[in-house]
Each structure stands twice: as C-alpha cells, then as structure tokens.
C-alpha cells in the first residue's frame, strides 16, 4: 500500500528493518506519574481517541508497568490532540546523535528543478514499531485503564532521529539524487520534467 487513507492501510515497517529502542539508562529510577485530573469533556475526548487505537494495533493494555505517564491534551483547534507526557522517561534516555537534514541544504538541492512532487508520510511515526522489550516503558494512564504503545509514539525522545535513520536506510540510493527528505516530509525532484514519471516510479517501488 502506497497511498493510505487511514491507519488501517498502514501495515508498518518490519522490525527487521528498524524499530524504536529507548536505551533507558539503568541508573534512573522508573517514574510513575501521579494521575492528573481531566474535565468531563476532556475525559470523553481521551476515551474516544484511545478506543480507536487498539483496533489498528497501535496500543495494547499494560498490566504492571514500571514507567507510567499521563495522557494530556494539546490544543488543536477546534478540539485537541492527545499526547503523552514522556518528560520523565525522556530524561532517562540518551540523545541519539543521528543527524537531521539541514533545511538550507535541502532548498539548495532542489533549486532549478522543473518538477517537484511533495509527499507526506501519513502518521509517519506510527509506521515504526517499538522494540518489543521497550513497549511497556511507554505505558500511560487513561480514565479507562493503562495502555502502552506498540508503535513509536509522538513525544518520545529520538523519534525524529529514528524515522530519519529509517528513511536514510530505505531510500539511500535516491536521496541527494532524485529525492530529498526531512523526517516524514519527502519530495521527488526532476531537473527535466520528462524524467519525473520514471523517478516517481523508482520511489513508489521502494515504498511497496
């Protein structure tokens, strides 16, 4: 599947290619955050969001997690976006030094092209699975129970670096040549418009 109309269309990247590892420093004591109060309206929103995720395989119930975070809501007019407060967990994880692309260099690399095709990786981070041994470390509490992520969650430290590493690995023969990428935003470029269909075909074949 190349074009995804919803999360059910995303099988995810096989763990043999990449998975997100937390590499928690064992000198840090696990933290279970004190449960935060949510208004009735916000509790209903969290319940609606959480109800969608087990069916598509993004979260599962957690029984005895050592780490526990709160589900929080960030404004996203006209409603909110559900996030998880991984502040404590992130402090215990070392920084992944894998470099993100330089935006000024990406702009320079695309100047003079006749055609550009922009692509967005739909819910890109959720296409990468968590390392199985790290799943329960992502546990978070909701009004209806405790869950953990099976896929790389937004808000986890180094998630951008993990996604960039995956893109660099999969598209290594195209990047800097007929393709550029900044995390989950990608483009195929052509100096000559006549070559563009062939370039897109190369990119889509790898995506398949």
């Amino acid at each position: 599947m190349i074009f995804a109309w919803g999360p059910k269309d995303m099988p995810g990247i096989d763990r043999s290619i990449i998975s997100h590892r937390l590499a928690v420093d064992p000198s840090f004591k696990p933290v279970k955050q004190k449960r935060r109060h949510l208004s009735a309206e916000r509790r209903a929103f969290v319940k609606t969001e959480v109800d969608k995720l087990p069916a598509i395989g993004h979260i599962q119930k957690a029984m005895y997690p050592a780490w526990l975070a709160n589900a929080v809501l960030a404004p996203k007019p006209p409603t909110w976006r559900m996030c998880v407060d991984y502040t404590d967990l992130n402090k215990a994880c070392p920084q992944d030094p894998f470099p993100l692309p330089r935006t000024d260099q990406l702009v320079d690399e695309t100047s003079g092209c006749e055609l550009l095709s922009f692509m967005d990786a739909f819910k890109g981070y959720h296409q990468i699975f968590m390392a199985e041994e790290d799943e329960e470390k992502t546990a978070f509490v909701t009004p209806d129970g405790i869950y953990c992520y099976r896929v790389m969650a937004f808000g986890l430290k180094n998630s951008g670096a993990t996604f960039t590493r995956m893109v660099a690995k999969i598209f290594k023969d195209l990047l800097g040549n007929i393709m550029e990428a900044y995390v989950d935003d990608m483009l195929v470029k052509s100096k000559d418009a006549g070559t563009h269909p062939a370039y897109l075909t190369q990119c889509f074949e790898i995506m398949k």
Side-chain angles (χ1 to χ4, degrees):
M1 176 65 69
I2 297 175
F3 299 102
W5 309 112
K8 64 181 177 60
D9 298 326
M10 303 185 309
I13 306 297
D14 192 276
R15 283 191 173 96
S16 65
I17 296 174
I18 197 166
S19 60
H20 186 63
R21 301 181 182 278
L22 296 179
V24 173
D25 186 337
S27 66
F28 280 76
K29 183 179 178 180
V31 175
K32 293 185 178 179
Q33 295 178 358
K34 184 178 179 181
R35 185 174 171 184
R36 299 176 190 170
H37 172 75
L38 294 174
S39 67
E41 184 181 10
R42 290 177 176 238
R43 283 199 306 271
F45 183 85
V46 169
K47 176 176 172 53
T48 300
E49 291 297 294
V50 169
D51 284 348
K52 301 174 186 175
L53 299 176
I56 56 178
H58 285 184
I59 64 173
Q60 62 188 359
K61 288 187 176 180
M63 299 301 293
Y64 304 105
W67 293 84
L68 187 62
N70 277 282
V72 294
L73 298 181
K76 187 182 180 182
T79 56
W80 304 282
R81 167 183 285 178
M82 190 186 83
C83 307
V84 178
D85 180 8
Y86 286 126
T87 304
D88 297 305
L89 179 61
N90 286 341
K91 288 178 182 177
C93 296
Q95 183 69 42
D96 183 342
F98 194 87
L100 295 178
R102 291 174 53 94
T103 53
D104 56 341
Q105 183 177 345
L106 295 180
V107 172
D108 291 342
E109 292 292 336
T110 58
S111 63
C113 292
E114 288 190 1
L115 274 181
L116 302 173
S117 289
F118 293 88
M119 296 170 287
D120 178 34
F122 182 72
K123 295 188 181 294
Y125 286 8
H126 288 170
Q127 296 184 40
I128 296 178
F129 288 102
M130 292 295 303
E132 291 179 325
E133 64 271 21
D134 289 331
E135 289 178 355
E136 282 216 339
K137 296 185 182 76
T138 68
F140 60 99
V141 62
T142 77
D144 296 315
I146 296 173
Y147 296 85
C148 65
Y149 273 95
R150 297 185 62 243
V151 297
M152 186 169 67
F154 293 96
L156 285 175
K157 189 174 184 178
N158 300 321
S159 53
T162 295
F163 196 93
T164 302
R165 180 180 278 108
M166 182 270 292
V167 171
K169 183 176 182 179
I170 291 178
F171 296 104
K172 63 179 180 179
D173 294 330
L174 304 187
L175 289 172
N177 182 15
I178 65 170
M179 186 177 176
E180 303 293 342
Y182 186 84
V183 192
D184 58 349
D185 292 313
M186 296 172 278
L187 66 86
V188 173
K189 59 182 183 177
S190 300
K191 296 284 187 181
D192 177 0
T195 64
H196 203 65
Y199 290 172
L200 284 173
T201 298
Q202 291 182 54
C203 180
F204 289 163
E205 284 299 323
I206 292 174
M207 289 182 180
K208 281 184 184 178

